[in-house]
Amino acid sequence: MNVIYHFDICAFLVLVIILISLFMRKLTHGRINGTFVALICITILCTIFDMLSVAPLSMFGHVSVGVRIFASYAYFVVHASILPAYSIFIGMISGTWYMYLRGNTRNKIFFSAPYLVNLLFIIINPFTHWIIRFPKGHYERGEAIWVIYLIAAFYMAHTMVYLLKYKETIEKSKMFALASIYPIIIISAVVQFVLPSHLIEMFSITTSLLIIMIFVIKPEETIDTAVGAKTMTAFKNDTKRLYFDGNDGELILIKVKNDSSLVSLYGLNAHQTVVKKAVSRMDKVFSSVPKPGNYYNIYYLSYGLFAVEMKGDYNADEISDRIETELKKPIRTGEFVFNFECSLCLLDIPKDIPTHAELMAFVDTYDKSEIESGSIVYSKLGESDKIRFKFDIDKYIERGFAKNNFKVYYQPIYSIKEHKFISAEALLRLIDDEIGFISPALFIPAAEKSGAIYQIGDFVIDSVFRFIRDHDLSKMGLEYIEINISTMQCMKEDFVDNVKKKIREYGISNKSFNFEITETASDFLSDVLTKTVTKLHNAGIEFAIDDYGTGYSNLQRILQEPVKIIKLDKSLADDLGNNRTRAVLKSTMQMITEIGAESVIEGVETKETAEWFIEHSCDYIQGYYYARPMPENEFLEFVHKQNAAG
Ligand code: C2E
Ligand code: CA
Ligand code: CA
């Protein structure tokens, strides 16, 4: 028989190229890459034995009959492993392999028995010649060769069922590549069966493996090599799987609250180094509690937001405590020392958040929310609805309006120059009948999404204007009230007219209040926003920039806008221990003064912090150290007493 073996030569060359490229791209570590490399190696061996066993003598010089027979056996042994290895590879891709086999003896037997039967048939072949025989020293199929095909079919079916079962968790392009192996192998098996002299099987497998390498082995999608953690894309896919399994998993979300001030103080480069160190500290926590058979993943989702996924029997509370401790230790890079200010949230999946879509929404809300720094929000403690109410927040907002549960509180602001309270910030409160206090940091972002922010905004302006109308502020020593407005509100077409109309309606002075917009809003000061700010400014209404130091904006640019007050974010006050922060604060406050604006430091909680700002000529202080936000009456009483005494 004249054997066409050129396909094997091509297969061999392509496989070697794939293997070299995997090594050159450093894609050999990790479960998925490791399995793929093994798969390539097995296929290379198989191709070599295939050629040795059937190729004409001229090709390898003199190949003795003994070598051919050995190569034939070796071919069948190695060949038997290709499809099981492929099954394992797909299991790895879907991320569920470990769950499939872990502690499940039935699955283990079900999966490996056909493989063992295959090996057994080959071992007993010298006596039975069921699979192959060598009359006249040449390879010929035995009468039970179908057993090999049957077992191959079993593994293909097994893999196919697995793929179909997990199709939700695998992206489309990957799915296509992984499934392409079926038509290719089936066609080649048919061709090979009909034309046994054409050795195309190894070549067809190689083609499939090449397709997989191109479409599936894409580490850049899932791993952020700069910081050594998995990416948001990986997080989405992995958590999808977590839900899909129906088994329990734990998730820790970690929010670094002062992340952006770290960037603005130290630059992106140093920031990256710090993130990398933070990731390796988290890794260290896990390596100190080795749990064979369990797994964890660390993700860097976006600026200041990490996630950790755990599966198996880790003690999640202990791990999150230890991660928090590790992260809060100062991180040194070169001459700088960073102090992460972070909050953690521990979620039991799927108990705490029942669906993947809700989880993604929660991650979003959590990222934007102002959960008190240093606090760990254990959702589990909240057998109450700590996590749930974040989703039903729209419902609570609606109910807040229906039941009149929104209240405006006032937090006094202390003037350093005048030694008294000269203004206050209006802060909205939602006190729900059932669940109690709901932080504006939670309901404001939700309201911005749902559009309820307009109604909320009107409510706050009305309440404050009514308050100003009904009380003689100047008699108490108060000059103005600060009102927070959301960018969305500000960008609404009729906002300016609406405000002017209300001023007339209530008959109050346009100097008795001003508006706060956040620094992040000014980042993308769009034309509309600038126009609004300018129009209101021309109508005599002043603006303050809120949360300065949390975004990435440039003070000089901000100061080109007609703003009167810059409110320095609490994170800066908290970071006073840091030389650089102090230096930045000093120059920032100086610049603000030079330009004729005024500075307010927010979130001052201690005497030392207050004293530092007094000493360094800040204009105003706001914070728990002087006063908390309070309801109208309490506020009036407080200011009356304090300003009279002072
Ligand atoms: P903000 O405008 O930065 O308000 C200051 C926040 O810091 C308030 O939180 C205040 O209670 C808190 N705070 C003041 N002093 C201290 C302190 O010494 N220590 C600590 N830990 N916190 C202090 P609050 O009231 O929870 O409001 C959170 C955010 O919700 C506000 O941040 C603001 O962005 C938004 N918000 C509140 N009321 C309104 C509103 O009427 N309209 C809009 N659009 N947003 C609002
Ligand atoms: Ca504010
Ligand atoms: Ca603020």
Side-chain angles (χ1 to χ4, degrees), residues 416 586 589-590 593 599 612-620:
I416 295 174
K586 279 188 224 167
M589 292 189 296
Q590 199 182 340
T593 312
S599 50
W612 190 88
F613 281 96
I614 292 172
E615 198 179 312
H616 290 89
S617 55
C618 185
D619 297 300
Y620 306 103

Side-chain angles (χ1 to χ4, degrees), residues 213-270:
M213 184 178 80
I214 294 169
F215 287 95
V216 181
I217 307 290
K218 292 195 286 193
E220 64 281 1
E221 234 176 43
T222 51
I223 295 187
D224 184 340
T225 45
V227 298
K230 295 181 98 180
T231 60
M232 184 67 179
T233 309
F235 180 76
K236 267 190 223 153
N237 292 330
D238 293 358
T239 48
K240 232 187 228 172
R241 248 163 243 147
L242 205 56
Y243 280 96
F244 201 77
D245 285 345
N247 296 314
D248 272 12
E250 314 261 5
L251 218 55
I252 307 175
L253 296 178
I254 302 152
K255 189 173 142 187
V256 180
K257 299 188 62 187
N258 57 346
D259 184 82
S260 51
S261 33
L262 292 182
V263 176
S264 46
L265 286 175
Y266 300 90
L268 281 170
N269 219 351

Side-chain angles (χ1 to χ4, degrees), residues 1 23 109 132 137 149 151 357 376 384 430 433 473 495 498 533 540 558 584:
M1 181 170 65
F23 274 94
I109 293 174
I132 32 168
Y149 281 92
I151 290 173
I376 299 187
S384 71
L430 172 54
D433 298 340
L473 295 190
F495 181 67
N498 207 1
V533 172
I558 289 183
V584 167

